[in-house]
Amino acid sequence: MPGIKRNPETPGKLFGSLSLDLQAAGLEFCGTFVFLLFGLGGIQAVNYQTTLALSQSGQGGGAVNSTFTISQLLYSSASLGLSLLFSVWLFYRQVERVTGGIFNPNVTTALLLTGVIGPVRWALCCAAQMIAAIVASAVLLGLLPGPLSFNTLPGKGVSKSQAVFIEMFVTATLILSVLMLAAEKHRSTAFAPIGIGLTLFACEL
């Protein structure tokens, strides 16, 4: 892909830049943890407050409400979008040396396929991102009241097959935004975190 910057540290040897790959994995763990801590924390907070309000009014019975209201949807989307925006911006300046704040195994795989990162860094970063997601969820479970109320289940009226295609299109859109705004170098690359965060916000909506 013309214009995309390849990793100069992995020319011929598979483990030629293992120390940098480990640094990248460590940064990915930290960045993914921060992103999900604030993003999912916002979703947990609004869902709990909504459930509590319904319970106090005698409508919810204390169970987590599985139907999103418009305000919940906007709050949750803004929470994830803004969290990704500032998390990517915090770690994005490392892109020239180590990593660019990927925070998503799908995006990491796309960068592997386009030659931006090598297979060792891909494996380490994917593992770090998934472990960070587990740790962030565990921290939120301990910090916030109520059971965890964020999930990836299809909404009411959405079949599993429809959910697969919805997920496919929104994930492809997010990956495309990363490749076009961050991996592809141009004058507005420095502002890539804004575009990536707004893309996630739109996809969540």
Side-chain angles (χ1 to χ4, degrees), residues 42-59:
I43 297 176
Q44 176 73 11
V46 69
N47 287 346
Y48 178 77
Q49 291 300 324
T50 302
T51 301
L52 186 63
L54 291 174
S55 177
Q56 291 176 347
S57 64
Q59 300 178 26

Side-chain angles (χ1 to χ4, degrees), residues 13-177:
K13 296 181 179 179
L14 185 62
F15 298 97
S17 61
L18 184 59
S19 62
L20 283 179
D21 292 339
L22 290 172
Q23 291 179 47
L27 288 170
E28 284 299 318
F29 175 88
C30 296
T32 305
F33 175 80
V34 171
F35 161 50
L36 294 178
L37 184 70
F38 288 95
L40 297 181
I43 297 176
Q44 176 73 11
V46 69
N47 287 346
Y48 178 77
Q49 291 300 324
T50 302
T51 301
L52 186 63
L54 291 174
S55 177
Q56 291 176 347
S57 64
Q59 300 178 26
V64 176
N65 186 19
S66 60
T67 303
F68 273 89
T69 63
I70 295 298
S71 59
Q72 279 180 281
L73 179 61
L74 287 172
Y75 192 101
S76 300
S77 301
S79 176
L80 281 174
L82 291 175
S83 179
L84 182 62
L85 191 156
F86 81 77
S87 298
V88 171
W89 217 325
L90 283 174
F91 292 88
Y92 180 67
R93 298 315 302 168
Q94 298 289 335
V95 69
E96 302 297 333
R97 293 175 294 163
V98 181
T99 183
I102 307 170
F103 310 157
N104 188 318
N106 296 309
V107 178
T108 309
T109 302
L111 295 180
L112 170 69
L113 295 176
T114 53
V116 179
I117 63 175
V120 175
R121 182 168 300 189
W122 169 80
L124 291 174
C125 286
C126 285
Q129 291 157 2
M130 289 184 282
I131 294 172
I134 296 172
V135 174
S137 299
V139 170
L140 289 174
L141 183 61
L143 290 179
L144 300 180
L148 295 181
S149 58
F150 43 83
N151 55 61
T152 56
L153 297 176
K156 287 188 175 181
V158 179
S159 67
K160 292 183 179 179
S161 59
Q162 289 173 324
V164 168
F165 281 97
I166 291 172
E167 186 69 20
M168 179 183 70
F169 284 120
V170 298
T171 303
T173 302
L174 179 61
I175 291 173
L176 186 63
S177 72

Side-chain angles (χ1 to χ4, degrees), residues 3 85 88-89 92-93 95-96 176-198:
L85 191 156
V88 171
W89 217 325
Y92 180 67
R93 298 315 302 168
V95 69
E96 302 297 333
L176 186 63
S177 72
V178 173
L179 292 178
M180 293 296 101
L181 296 176
E184 184 81 18
K185 301 306 176 187
H186 45 74
R187 290 184 178 180
S188 59
T189 297
F191 302 99
I194 298 177
I196 295 171
L198 291 177

